[in-house]
Amino acid sequence: MYASRMSNLPPYLFARIDAMKAEQRKKGVDLIDLGVGDPDLATPPHVVEALCTAAKDSKNHHYPDYAGMPAYRSAVAGWYRKRFGVTLDADKEVVALMGSKDGIAHIGEAFVNPGDYVLAPSPGYPVYRTGTLFAEGKVHDMPLLRENNFIPVLSDIPKNVAKAAKILYINYPNNPTGAIAPEGFYKEVVDFARDNEIVVVSDNAYSEISFDGYRAPSFLQTKGAMEVGIEMHSLSKTYNMTGWRIGMAVGNAEVIAGLGRVKTNVDSGVFDAVQHAAITALSGPQDCVKDACRIYQERRDVLIKGLQGLGFDVPLPRATFYVWVPVKDCMAFSGRLLTEAGIVATPGVGFGASGEGYVRFAITRPVARIQEAIERMRKMQL
Ligand SMILES: *Cc1c(COP(=O)(O)O)cnc(C)c1O
């Protein structure tokens, strides 16, 4: 009954984990869910208030502008200028997304012909792969290894693959490894993309979640970046708005136009009231972001210290709300965590073949629950 492309899709990992979680819950297990990267913190009240006000105005009840309201696109441009010093033309270089997943899932349709390559990090956000498969492209994995600080080695990509590639995904601060982009890496990406005529898509969903004084850059700050690519960002992680479905793609006008044209044909834009709330989030006070980072940093420290005490050699993440923990066999280990300790962690292999040997903990639960998880792990025969 299903089209053949359906059989190429991997089972969406989080759906499978959800089923395993439901089974444990049915048994009455008090689960500590450090699996899915969905903030437990609430959306800031002033943003919720802005939604309520906008939702009551019937002007906002119609089909939205496909690309996003001009006021939303200006707010995005204003935020990029203030946060990164990047200047954007709000008309041509900004498009609203229903979260960055929307943009990642659809951009392949604009740039990838059947059989073309897409370069994607492994481990990586699963939609880089599935979006490519929907466009009938081929994924070339760029392994993110600890010995390389979880940065892809672009010179390892075979010349013929690089020449036949249409999109290069980069994602720093990185999900799932927690790695950050080192000085000079983005310059290397710009040169590589220019030499091989590849569109760079920088997935910057975690730019605002960082610790120890680190502030993540935008790819677009790099000289030449605007000529070769775009960046996607989202309000999901920054303002705890995962359920609201709003984000943006910004950068090269031609690339933005291509993505926008696909979207015009498959969706009808983001609810105007949500865009009004997003304007409030981007233009208003940013203390809520700092507060969230403080909370995550405390959790990170508790989890890292606990895991180190149990003998794990864990890299210290300077950004994102993930901790990437080396283990022997990730499926076996995450299975044991679930059944013996009631802890949900994501097996690294779910993010690609090079994720084997790791599990990902999301620090999206309060400190007390993280401490409890460490206590439960201490009682396991690890
Ligand atoms: C969460 C996440 C996204 C998508 O988030 P949206 O809610 O769709 O904006 C994209 N990329 C990465 C790496 C993520 O972790």
Side-chain angles (χ1 to χ4, degrees), residues 99-101 104 125 128 171 175 203 206 234 236-237 245:
S100 27
K101 184 175 184 177
I104 296 164
Y125 184 61
Y128 307 142
N171 167 222
N175 173 13
D203 177 358
Y206 296 94
S234 157
S236 287
K237 317 290 164 56
R245 312 312 305 139

Side-chain angles (χ1 to χ4, degrees), residues 101-111 127 131 259 262-263 266-267:
K101 184 175 184 177
D102 170 28
I104 296 164
H106 289 301
I107 194 164
E109 283 152 23
F111 297 98
V127 188
L259 173 60
V262 172
K263 280 177 50 57
V266 296
D267 69 57

Side-chain angles (χ1 to χ4, degrees), residues 107-118 131-138 164-167 169:
I107 194 164
E109 283 152 23
F111 297 98
V112 177
N113 283 311
D116 285 346
Y117 278 105
V118 169
T132 302
L133 295 178
F134 277 126
E136 303 189 8
K138 290 190 288 206
K166 293 297 163 64
I167 293 176
Y169 281 108

